[in-house]
Amino acid sequence: DTGVSQNPRHKITKRGQNVTFRCDPISEHNRLYWYRQTLGQGPEFLTYFQNEAQLEKSRLLSDRFSAERPKGSFSTLEIQRTEQGDSAMYLCASSLEGRRAVNSPLHFGNGTRLTVT
Amino acid sequence: AQSVAQPEDQVNVAEGNPLTVKCTYSVSGNPYLFWYVQYPNRGLQFLLKYITGDNLVKGSYGFEAEFNKSQTSFHLKKPSALVSDSALYFCAVRPFEIGGKLIFGQGTELSVKP
């Protein structure tokens, strides 16, 4: 178990640019989640996948945000035309859910900190 | 709506004293409750969860939490605090179907002084 890996750790970009983050979950985990966290706040849910299927997307999520998990393994989160309000920590988490693993906790990566200037 | 509330932004305790970090929840069905800890510039680490069964749940690093259905609370506790326990603590609830997203509280900053 090497844990959830997120890249890059830090990203500084100019307003209007596109950015993409990558998440590699724990290898046997079938569920993958994306959260956003701003300073002094709890993580805010963005979206989650079971295998390659995107099961839920937050209504708060702008259409500038898109996430994929094409082969049911790693995932990418893309933000198009970034705005200063997108500056935050983007957290990825994974879990194993199934008959032998019910209500499993989420295992988080260390996040990607995005700064939009 | 499914939610959790952490009424204290900050909790200060002296090393060796017991600590409590409060959490209340609001759910329409059975509550599935979790506690996480976050150190600076790191992701969240799972401490413990309540799904069903005993109201006192034991977790990592000596932490435990007490589920109280009548008070809709799930307070995190530790009998003797350590300076290294200083961190951000988040309570979370899993609404609706099993295995879905977690909804987090706003967090409580715990400061343990020597």
Side-chain angles (χ1 to χ4, degrees):
Chain A
D1 179 358
T2 57
V4 177
S5 177
Q6 291 189 246
N7 288 289
R9 286 298 311 274
H10 303 276
K11 178 71 177 179
I12 300 174
T13 191
K14 293 184 177 180
R15 188 179 55 175
Q17 298 294 304
N18 299 345
V19 294
T20 300
F21 310 141
R22 177 179 170 123
C23 173
D24 288 273
I26 294 171
S27 59
E28 66 269 23
H29 284 185
N30 54 358
R31 293 214 168 182
L32 186 147
Y33 306 77
W34 284 100
Y35 283 81
R36 175 172 61 192
Q37 185 180 24
T38 53
L39 197 62
Q41 300 296 317
E44 174 189 29
F45 171 76
L46 295 179
T47 187
Y48 87 95
F49 295 82
Q50 174 153 315
N51 300 314
E52 65 276 8
Q54 189 171 19
L55 294 190
E56 187 177 351
K57 188 174 176 181
S58 169
R59 288 174 292 174
L60 301 175
L61 202 60
S62 159
D63 58 6
R64 296 184 295 106
F65 287 70
S66 61
E68 293 183 342
R69 195 184 183 198
K71 298 182 180 179
S73 56
F74 74 92
S75 175
T76 58
L77 176 68
E78 182 184 16
I79 309 174
Q80 296 182 327
R81 305 180 302 283
T82 53
E83 302 172 357
Q84 287 186 323
D86 298 331
S87 296
M89 175 79 87
Y90 289 84
L91 295 167
C92 176
S94 69
S95 69
L96 176 64
E97 292 291 337
R99 276 183 294 178
R100 285 183 290 177
V102 177
N103 248 315
S104 300
L106 274 58
H107 296 261
F108 282 83
N110 286 328
T112 294
R113 182 169 295 283
L114 173 67
T115 302
V116 182
T117 61
Chain B
Q2 319 275 357
S3 65
V4 292
Q6 295 180 241
E8 302 157 317
D9 289 337
Q10 186 162 16
V11 170
N12 298 307
V13 297
E15 188 175 30
N17 283 2
L19 70 87
T20 299
V21 183
K22 296 180 180 177
C23 172
T24 58
Y25 65 88
S26 174
V27 298
S28 55
N30 292 326
Y32 305 118
L33 297 159
F34 300 75
W35 275 102
Y36 282 79
V37 61
Q38 186 177 32
Y39 297 97
N41 297 313
R42 302 294 297 273
L44 281 71
Q45 295 178 30
F46 170 70
L47 284 177
L48 50 81
K49 67 178 180 181
Y50 172 82
I51 305 299
T52 187
D54 290 341
N55 290 342
L56 187 63
V57 179
K58 293 189 182 298
S60 306
Y61 313 119
F63 284 94
E64 57 190 27
E66 186 170 10
F67 171 69
N68 187 316
K69 188 173 183 179
S70 62
Q71 297 185 1
T72 63
S73 67
F74 188 56
H75 300 333
L76 181 71
K77 300 181 179 184
K78 188 173 183 180
S80 179
L82 300 173
V83 172
S84 58
D85 293 329
S86 299
L88 262 176
Y89 289 82
F90 292 97
C91 182
V93 65
R94 172 170 276 152
F96 307 117
E97 90 284 6
I98 292 173
K101 66 188 178 190
L102 295 185
I103 295 175
F104 287 87
Q106 70 271 32
T108 298
E109 185 175 358
L110 174 66
S111 177
V112 182
K113 298 288 192 230

